[in-house]
Amino acid sequence: MSSYKNAKKSQQKTHRERSQPASRSHLGILEKKKDYKLRAQDYQSKQSTLKALKRKALDKNPDEFYFKMVRTQLKDGVHQCEAQEPVYTDDQLKLIQSQDIRYVSYKRSTEQKKIEKLKSTLHLLDAEDKPKNKHTFFVDSKKEARAFDVAKHLNTHPSLLSRTYNRPTLDTLKKWNIQEDVDDNTLQELANERKKKYKELGKRIEREKELHIIAQKMEVKRNTKNLERGLNGKKNCTLLLKRWK
């Protein structure tokens, strides 16, 4: 029975909605009932909101006052509160300054630990700012100097002569179990990684120095304020105080 109904529906005429008449085409597309419902619901919600606001304004007490009325202002339709600086007592300021100094000292100790860790992994033998060392060999005659082979003299592979660190001898290389040769790309990646670590080490050293200077300035500032606070209670005091910025 259901298949018969479906077959019958397929033969039904398709009813199309009426379009805007040609004489009213300048008014746009003809509004359907579903469009009217959405427009009506939007209008009614706005009207109810306005009605609630009017009722709230009528019920408001004219003598009502709170400090937000004078501490806020309207800018571009948005209420903004005036920023007020918090007022601290002398004990509170002293506690805040001591906590700041402790935090700077903690960060400096953290940087020192990271620097020591990086230094333990890096030999600092191929750093860019390190002066290049010269290894001079002495021979007895010019003939020996012309026939002098550095790789043979150092008992190492010729490709390792440019390295100032980890330069194993031929006997050590024979003992090692090297399964495959390392290509140039891998060596370049290792060199780039090593340069990155050196760069990080330099930045951490500079940061540790800056934190040390900041801690010293904060300590001097705290001591100066403590001295001023102690001298405020004395009447006859001609001690000259200096401020460091």
Side-chain angles (χ1 to χ4, degrees), residues 184-217:
D184 296 337
N185 294 332
T186 305
L187 293 175
Q188 186 64 30
E189 290 178 1
L190 293 174
N192 293 338
E193 188 69 22
R194 189 163 57 249
K195 286 182 181 179
K196 287 182 183 179
K197 294 203 173 198
Y198 280 126
K199 190 175 181 180
E200 181 184 357
L201 178 61
K203 288 183 179 180
R204 291 196 179 279
I205 290 174
E206 290 296 329
R207 177 173 171 77
E208 191 272 335
K209 290 180 181 178
E210 292 176 359
L211 290 173
H212 179 59
I213 294 172
I214 292 172
Q216 287 181 336
K217 288 183 178 181

Side-chain angles (χ1 to χ4, degrees), residues 10-11 39 82 96 138 148 172-173 192 206 227 239:
S10 63
Q11 297 176 0
R39 183 167 59 84
E82 295 181 359
I96 292 172
F138 297 93
F148 185 76
T172 306
L173 291 173
N192 293 338
E206 290 296 329
L227 184 60
L239 182 62

Side-chain angles (χ1 to χ4, degrees), residues 38-141:
L38 293 175
R39 183 167 59 84
Q41 289 174 2
D42 180 66
Y43 174 78
Q44 290 172 4
S45 64
K46 290 179 181 178
Q47 290 297 320
S48 61
T49 303
L50 291 174
K51 187 175 180 181
L53 291 174
K54 288 180 181 179
R55 175 58 60 185
K56 188 175 182 181
L58 290 173
D59 294 341
K60 185 177 179 180
N61 183 7
D63 298 331
E64 183 181 358
F65 173 79
Y66 53 96
F67 288 100
K68 287 290 183 180
M69 293 181 178
V70 294
R71 291 180 182 174
T72 58
Q73 55 184 346
L74 195 65
K75 286 186 178 180
D76 299 331
V78 180
H79 284 280
Q80 295 182 355
C81 298
E82 295 181 359
Q84 293 184 351
E85 296 183 359
V87 180
Y88 299 108
T89 61
D90 293 341
D91 295 335
Q92 290 175 345
L93 288 174
K94 192 173 181 181
L95 179 61
I96 292 172
Q97 291 173 1
S98 63
Q99 289 178 350
D100 292 341
I101 293 175
R102 287 197 208 101
Y103 176 75
V104 173
S105 301
Y106 164 72
K107 296 299 290 184
R108 186 189 170 203
S109 63
T110 304
E111 290 294 332
Q112 287 176 346
K113 291 179 181 178
K114 292 181 179 179
I115 289 170
E116 293 298 328
K117 187 176 180 180
L118 283 173
K119 283 184 177 180
S120 63
T121 57
L122 299 174
H123 299 283
L124 300 177
L125 296 175
D126 57 344
E128 295 180 356
D129 56 346
K130 182 178 176 62
K132 301 297 182 181
N133 296 330
K134 293 183 180 179
H135 196 165
T136 305
F137 297 96
F138 297 93
V139 295
D140 295 334
S141 63

Side-chain angles (χ1 to χ4, degrees), residues 10-32:
S10 63
Q11 297 176 0
Q12 289 179 354
K13 181 180 177 181
T14 303
H15 296 278
R16 294 179 296 176
E17 293 185 354
R18 185 169 65 90
S19 61
Q20 185 75 283
S23 60
R24 297 173 55 87
S25 59
H26 63 280
L27 298 176
I29 301 174
L30 182 65
E31 186 182 35
K32 306 299 187 295

